Amino acid sequence: MLNFLSSAPLHDPQASSMAGTETRTTTCYMCACRCGIRVHLRDGQVRYIDGNPDHPINQGVICAKGSSGIMKQHSPARLTQPLLRKPGSERGAGEFEPISWDRAFEILTQRLSHIRATDPKQFALFTGRDQMQALTGLFARQFGTPNYAAHGGFCSVNMAAGMIYSIGGSFWEFGGPDLEHARLFVMIGTAEDHHSNPMKIALARFKRAGGRFISINPVRTGYSAIADEWIPIRPGTDGALFMALLHELIAQDLIDEPFLRRYTNAPQLVVLDDGDRDGLFAFDPAAGPPGDGRHPHNKLAWDLASGQVVHAYPQGVEDGRRLALEGHYQLPDGTRVAPAFQLLRERVATTTPEWAAAITGIPAERIRQLARELGVTALQQAFELPIPWTDAWGKHHPVTQARPVAFHAMRGLAAHSNGFQTVRALAVLMSVLGTIDAPGGFRHKAPYPRHIVPNYRAFNDPAMIKPNTPLNAAPLGFPASPEELAVHEDGTPLRIDHAFSWEHPLSAHGLMHNVITNAVRGDPYPIDTLLIFMANMAWNSTMNTMEVRAKLNERREDGEYKIPFLVVCDAFQSEMVAFADLVLPDTTYLERHDVMSMLDRPISEFDGPVDSVRVPVVPPLGECKPFQEVLIELASRLQFPAFTHEDGTRKFKDYPDFIVNYQAQPGVGFLMGWRGKDGTDHLRGDPNPKQWEMYAKNNCVFQHHLPRDQQFMRNWNRGYLDLAKDKGWRQRNDPVQLAIYSDTLQLFRLAAQGKRSGRQPPDHLRQRIATYFDPLPFWYEPLENASIDTERFPLAAITQRPMAMYHSWDSQNAWLRQIHSHNYLHVNPVTAQAAGVADGGWAWVTSTWGEVRCMVRYSDAVEPGTVWTWNAIGKGAGAWQLAPGADESRKGFLLNHLITEELPFAGGRISNSDPVTGQAGWYDVRVRLRPASPGEPEETFPQVAVPSTPPGVLGGARKVLAYLAPRKP
């Protein structure tokens, strides 16, 4: 026993702390940053985790989350065996009986076999913060159900879709700010957890090199705390700021005209006459069909040098041409046209700094000054790198032009119902400055840029949903026209979440937040089995938490649940587990094989593609089984064609075997390193049976450095485009024209206006489509504002994830709980005092949809019209094996209780989401504040019933004596 009064040392200070330890490398999963880590073990137990200095992503840097992964292994909330809900017990009570994996697979195989043989769409697979969508999407496609999506629809699909439909790539995995060459960096709506360690490394170097960092955010935390300037902004108004910046840049002629002429559709002529071509690009009938989102060529421009119409490509890029960016013209047949940039100029004519100041709260003069900073830095502080390259039309460029203004934005822009057009406005802003894939600007990461529109159509044919038949396309994709929507002939949704329907046409990631409500309602049809992986839909992943919990228990007239069978796969006893009919215990990231694949969400860097793996460093706890293995086993038992031979025998013995031998196309698999029979091929090649071994020997990562002449301007770089097609990253090698003006959006608008033949939206959605599918970016108020009294609810309420935590996972981590055991509502002192709420006092926060009781903290680091808190720290009592009365359940709270999943619309209801993509409008809620009354319980409201502890949960506050020498005898 430890004698705290003894002078004897606990360990020998001269002895090596590494004595008797074994070190293994793998990839972290304490957030989505996916850093390389070294895991140190002694006697087979994890004793210490640090960053891997030989890993290209984090270069040895590790954060609080990463180093605390050891406590994920020892979490008392660990599930250790499959569980089946006890007959007669209610969902939410947490009453289970343990079963074997054989019994679990028997239940699933029998049930899913019947569904697949009768009506495949009765099965829905929705996954949370996973990183294996290439596998889960393949599973759904092979099953034959369109009802599949991942977490992106309630995370940041607006960011992904808004940028991909504009510039061919987006922030984070697929691109980001080039701070190595930038001189001015503007970060907007980005919390601490996004790309954490690489961003911290890059920011440190950037600031030491004299770069200027401006943060635009309602809250000054995390990265914003080290900014040279913080510009507070009202939530949901960023789009107005971008429109005002565009106004100023264009008015002051601070734009990159040569870039716009050659690399964007800014000079392409838009038809102005009424009719079925109104607002679409003019084309030459003699040259073939008109260009569209899938085939963007055959468009026209006005050549000022010759005074006539020319083909935008290739004529428009010939030497001696000067394409018009402004003016109005007539084609030889009399059609009125104007360059797309002229229409942008007209759009921003009224979006003055004064207009934006009234919306954003940023003074007009500061907006005007910011625009000048951006333009002067990008254009007048530009420089050239001595890197020659050749563009897609064969022109040799002796140098690469830098544009040293970098932006970074994430969920703060995306998680609004106006987020798609806001992100579009940012993409256009970056484009007019010429920063796209230029040194110092936004740079792509392989396999991006994609085509605009990417050549991935989402499944959309109702006739192809057949028994025991895979879908003819993946469930998710990028629609390019109304004909690619997943709807029936009458316009009703094909999918349970209404993704790719007229309600949310460009919902590239699906609408996971709508699944439970729609399934319970039977809209558009009931389902039989819902499989949820790693998504806490009974708590922090749901917009109206208490209503969803009630919906999970709703029954039909015959007494059966409206969602008859609910399967939950998780590693921990989250709030969602209590509602499951069948629980599948997942492994932690230290116990399994995993891939960060070029087919999915790789960890590529600017200078070339990078993929990585996880390998087990400790055996699975109890009977835990990786969800990847569960899918491979089920796919084999259900005899999916991609997983079995013609005689019904399985192709893959397990998940590692699948990763090595599955090929999306010849020579292209999940991993690109050490391919070929002898492991000497890279990027593309035959399967290599020792591929896992090679990754394990090389820090679990493979990195390919592109030649310098392929590292920039990749939308138009001939060398890169050819390479990307050859290696299977792109389907075509044609250039990616930036979409200043989106004719794809205009196709949907024309259908809504009744000007276009083909698919038509239902009448009640026509005005919605016509309004929000504007081919030019614009700002509008978040949709929720039309349904509430904004004077009665004057404050915007938002959440952020703290740097030390990620979703629900980490606020049950014994070490990280010491940093954040509960959360406060942070309020500007002026705002709080006006409401009569004391610093540290209890208060009620009320919205139109609900209310919470919580503690308040004064903070000058929040703009006066906003209140905010950390996300996902508050917990339901009894979940996560937290002790009774734990801070997380008694002092911690969720803002979700104030948010509505649906809004009134056309006499009914519609998802509280962006009308273009279906992105959940998490940050649109408006609230008011009042002090709690004396004598009220000093605990958060609402509270939930405490469920039973399921069998096999690890339980107990396990003690871990890390880093110490063995005890003395």
Side-chain angles (χ1 to χ4, degrees):
M1 177 176 291
L2 176 66
N3 182 352
F4 70 93
L5 295 178
S6 172
S7 61
L10 290 174
H11 61 92
D12 182 355
Q14 295 182 334
S16 171
S17 61
M18 302 299 291
T21 64
E22 176 188 2
T23 301
R24 300 181 186 177
T25 61
T26 188
T27 305
C28 189
Y29 197 8
M30 293 298 284
C31 75
C33 194
R34 299 163 293 173
C35 298
I37 55 174
R38 299 184 301 193
V39 183
H40 306 275
L41 302 102
R42 185 179 298 152
D43 300 325
Q45 297 292 315
V46 180
R47 312 299 282 179
Y48 184 68
I49 298 174
D50 62 354
N52 185 350
D54 297 321
H55 198 278
I57 298 300
N58 59 312
Q59 303 163 44
V61 174
I62 196 167
C63 67
K65 297 188 298 291
S67 61
S68 299
I70 182 174
M71 300 314 295
K72 186 166 269 191
Q73 293 303 112
H74 297 282
S75 167
R78 286 292 304 273
L79 300 166
T80 66
Q81 59 192 116
L83 303 170
L84 188 67
R85 185 168 56 84
K86 289 183 177 179
S89 67
E90 284 289 310
R91 285 181 181 167
E95 297 180 6
F96 297 99
E97 57 187 25
I99 60 172
S100 67
W101 271 107
D102 285 342
R103 176 63 178 141
F105 280 125
E106 179 185 343
I107 292 170
L108 286 169
T109 303
Q110 182 178 5
R111 193 169 196 110
L112 296 183
S113 293
H114 175 73
I115 295 172
R116 187 166 185 257
T118 52
D119 186 2
K121 69 178 183 296
Q122 293 289 306
F123 170 62
L125 169 60
F126 284 79
T127 69
R129 199 59 177 89
D130 72 300
Q131 295 167 356
M132 54 178 176
Q133 294 164 30
L135 171 58
T136 51
L138 175 65
F139 185 94
R141 179 176 179 176
Q142 288 281 301
F143 188 95
T145 179
N147 292 322
Y148 161 79
H151 85 288
F154 62 64
C155 182
S156 54
V157 68
N158 273 338
M159 181 58 64
M163 292 189 71
I164 290 172
Y165 274 88
S166 302
I167 64 172
S170 68
F171 285 115
W172 205 355
E173 287 107 336
F174 310 138
D178 179 13
L179 296 188
E180 179 183 355
H181 299 104
R183 293 175 178 170
L184 175 63
F185 177 42
V186 181
M187 179 180 280
I188 313 150
T190 304
E192 288 86 336
D193 65 309
H194 284 126
H195 211 49
S196 172
N197 290 331
M199 178 57 68
K200 287 182 287 189
I201 295 168
L203 263 177
R205 292 173 179 167
F206 173 76
K207 293 204 68 175
R208 290 190 185 108
R212 175 164 162 73
F213 174 21
I214 298 174
S215 171
I216 303 174
N217 200 308
V219 178
R220 186 171 193 172
T221 61
Y223 304 129
S224 301
I226 64 167
D228 296 289
E229 181 182 7
W230 170 48
I231 302 177
I233 188 172
R234 295 169 184 156
T237 67
D238 307 86
L241 172 64
F242 300 148
M243 297 301 289
L245 293 173
L246 283 166
H247 169 95
E248 283 296 297
L249 290 170
I250 293 173
Q252 301 301 321
D253 199 26
L254 290 171
I255 59 175
D256 190 343
E257 291 192 11
F259 181 91
L260 290 170
R261 287 192 174 96
R262 191 171 188 90
Y263 303 124
T264 81
N265 66 13
Q268 295 173 13
L269 298 175
V270 178
V271 173
L272 302 181
D273 289 341
D274 199 15
D276 61 357
R277 296 295 301 172
D278 179 18
L280 297 178
F281 288 110
F283 72 104
D284 178 5
D292 59 20
R294 294 271 177 230
H295 305 92
H297 306 296
N298 193 11
K299 296 179 181 177
L300 305 177
W302 190 269
D303 180 25
L304 295 172
S306 63
Q308 62 183 8
V309 171
V310 297
H311 286 270
Y313 299 100
Q315 278 182 293
V317 295
E318 294 173 351
D319 289 342
R321 302 290 186 186
R322 181 173 172 79
L323 302 186
L325 292 175
E326 300 175 1
H328 289 78
Y329 305 93
Q330 277 195 346
L331 300 181
D333 65 1
T335 302
R336 296 183 306 114
V337 294
F341 189 80
Q342 172 66 32
L343 302 183
L344 176 65
R345 176 184 280 275
E346 293 171 5
R347 168 60 54 86
V348 302
T350 58
T351 62
T352 63
E354 286 73 19
W355 167 82
I359 296 168
T360 64
I362 303 173
E365 186 52 40
R366 184 65 195 94
I367 296 174
R368 197 170 282 110
Q369 180 188 2
L370 177 59
R372 181 157 186 81
E373 287 182 79
L374 295 172
V376 168
T377 306
L379 301 172
Q380 298 178 19
Q381 296 182 23
F383 55 91
E384 296 173 341
L385 294 181
I387 303 173
W389 64 286
T390 300
D391 71 22
W393 304 280
K395 182 178 177 61
H396 179 74
H397 300 263
V399 297
T400 299
Q401 177 69 62
R403 292 281 181 239
V405 172
F407 294 85
H408 190 49
M410 275 306 300
R411 197 160 176 255
L413 266 62
H416 293 282
S417 56
N418 60 10
F420 176 83
Q421 289 289 5
T422 291
V423 172
R424 276 269 295 143
L426 175 59
V428 171
L429 174 64
M430 294 192 296
S431 297
V432 301
L433 292 170
T435 68
I436 304 304
D437 219 31
F442 170 90
R443 289 180 64 189
H444 292 295
K445 300 177 182 179
Y448 286 77
R450 297 293 194 199
H451 193 71
I452 301 174
V453 175
N455 293 305
Y456 300 93
R457 298 167 176 82
F459 174 78
N460 55 44
D461 185 356
M464 285 298 299
I465 302 178
K466 299 177 181 179
N468 294 323
T469 304
L471 304 180
N472 65 347
L476 303 179
F478 297 88
S481 70
E483 281 61 47
E484 296 183 8
L485 292 181
V487 294
H488 295 278
E489 286 197 12
D490 63 359
T492 56
L494 178 62
R495 293 171 47 113
I496 190 66
D497 59 354
H498 296 193
F500 306 108
S501 74
W502 286 105
E503 293 180 16
H504 313 285
L506 306 187
S507 44
H509 293 163
L511 281 79
M512 187 172 182
H513 50 292
N514 284 6
V515 171
I516 291 171
T517 294
N518 289 355
V520 169
R521 190 180 290 153
D523 179 15
Y525 45 76
I527 63 172
D528 178 272
T529 297
L530 174 60
L531 172 53
I532 296 284
F533 170 62
M534 203 170 72
N536 199 0
M537 303 305 292
W539 200 246
N540 61 281
S541 293
T542 290
M543 299 178 78
N544 51 340
T545 303
M546 304 306 282
E547 289 184 28
V548 166
R549 292 168 69 94
K551 283 180 168 63
L552 288 169
N553 272 318
E554 284 194 27
R555 297 179 182 265
R556 305 185 310 225
E557 291 183 359
D558 63 1
E560 177 68 270
Y561 284 115
K562 289 185 176 179
I563 302 178
F565 199 64
L566 178 62
V567 185
V568 174
C569 182
D570 208 318
F572 306 102
Q573 184 219 348
S574 71
E575 287 86 352
M576 187 66 189
V577 166
F579 290 86
D581 298 303
L582 177 64
V583 179
L584 307 177
D586 192 23
T587 52
T588 70
Y589 68 101
L590 297 180
E591 299 170 348
R592 66 170 179 251
H593 290 91
D594 211 347
V595 295
M596 280 57 70
S597 168
M598 288 288 285
L599 300 183
D600 201 339
R601 305 181 64 193
I603 58 170
S604 296
E605 289 290 270
F606 296 140
D607 63 356
V610 187
D611 64 9
S612 59
V613 304
R614 296 187 182 97
V615 295
V617 297
V618 291
L621 180 68
E623 299 175 35
C624 293
K625 192 178 291 289
F627 185 56
Q628 297 94 322
E629 292 284 1
V630 172
L631 290 182
I632 301 300
E633 181 66 27
L634 283 174
S636 302
R637 291 183 180 225
L638 295 170
Q639 297 193 343
F640 293 172
F643 292 81
T644 52
H645 299 288
E646 290 187 6
D647 63 358
T649 58
R650 60 193 300 161
K651 288 182 179 179
F652 313 109
K653 67 176 182 179
D654 54 19
Y655 175 71
D657 186 43
F658 167 77
I659 291 299
V660 168
N661 290 296
Y662 177 81
Q663 296 184 79
Q665 53 181 296
V668 177
F670 275 80
L671 294 172
M672 62 180 176
W674 298 285
R675 299 191 66 83
K677 298 298 183 183
D678 57 0
T680 58
D681 295 336
H682 298 300
L683 305 184
R684 189 167 192 163
D686 292 333
N688 170 19
K690 295 186 176 181
Q691 193 174 34
W692 282 103
E693 181 181 333
M694 294 307 299
Y695 272 85
K697 288 180 178 178
N698 288 274
N699 294 303
C700 294
V701 64
F702 171 78
Q703 182 174 25
H704 174 77
H705 296 280
L706 294 169
R708 287 288 280 170
D709 63 355
Q710 294 180 15
Q711 291 185 16
F712 300 96
M713 307 299 281
R714 278 166 286 191
N715 296 63
W716 321 275
N717 187 306
R718 171 52 57 208
Y720 176 79
L721 293 171
D722 289 345
L723 176 74
K725 181 185 178 187
D726 179 65
K727 302 308 178 185
W729 306 335
R730 302 186 75 237
Q731 294 179 354
R732 306 209 303 253
N733 65 344
D734 51 349
V736 182
Q737 304 168 8
L738 307 187
I740 302 296
Y741 183 97
S742 176
D743 54 340
T744 297
L745 297 179
Q746 182 65 9
L747 287 173
F748 288 88
R749 174 183 259 187
L750 288 174
Q753 293 171 338
K755 297 180 179 180
R756 183 179 184 274
S757 61
R759 280 183 167 172
Q760 300 289 304
D763 287 344
H764 72 286
L765 291 170
R766 285 188 181 275
Q767 187 56 51
R768 176 180 165 100
I769 297 290
T771 298
Y772 300 114
F773 275 71
D774 195 307
L776 289 167
F778 72 108
W779 180 83
Y780 56 91
E781 285 192 346
L783 301 185
E784 185 170 327
N785 285 8
S787 302
I788 65 173
D789 183 346
T790 55
E791 292 187 3
R792 188 174 173 220
F793 300 98
L795 303 173
I798 61 174
T799 62
Q800 290 192 162
R801 286 197 292 263
M803 192 171 285
M805 290 187 176
Y806 194 70
H807 295 283
S808 298
W809 304 345
D810 298 324
S811 52
Q812 49 102 17
N813 184 298
W815 289 354
L816 297 177
R817 288 183 67 202
Q818 299 176 58
I819 303 174
H820 302 285
S821 70
H822 61 281
N823 53 321
Y824 295 90
L825 187 74
H826 298 276
V827 186
N828 188 284
V830 173
T831 304
Q833 289 166 6
V837 177
D839 186 18
W842 287 87
W844 286 96
V845 190
T846 308
S847 74
T848 302
W849 324 108
E851 61 182 358
V852 298
R853 182 171 56 217
C854 62
M855 290 187 290
V856 166
R857 278 294 187 201
Y858 289 5
S859 173
D860 289 315
V862 54
E863 71 96 17
T866 301
V867 298
W868 74 277
T869 190
W870 297 126
N871 182 44
I873 290 177
K875 293 285 184 286
W880 303 94
Q881 284 300 291
L882 296 172
D887 281 359
E888 286 83 355
S889 60
R890 294 301 172 186
K891 296 181 180 179
F893 71 99
L894 281 182
L895 211 61
N896 305 50
H897 298 303
L898 304 175
I899 304 173
T900 181
E901 181 185 303
E902 296 181 309
L903 295 172
F905 180 78
R909 310 281 290 179
I910 201 166
S911 178
N912 181 15
S913 304
D914 188 288
V916 180
T917 67
Q919 161 83 54
W922 291 105
Y923 296 160
D924 289 349
V925 67
R926 306 276 295 215
V927 302
R928 67 174 185 263
L929 193 63
R930 76 175 193 273
S933 301
E936 287 189 41
E938 292 191 345
E939 68 175 15
T940 57
F941 176 90
Q943 291 287 321
V944 297
V946 179
S948 300
T949 296
V953 173
L954 199 58
R958 287 168 56 100
K959 298 179 180 180
V960 180
L961 298 177
Y963 332 126
L964 300 182
R967 290 172 180 248
K968 296 179 179 180

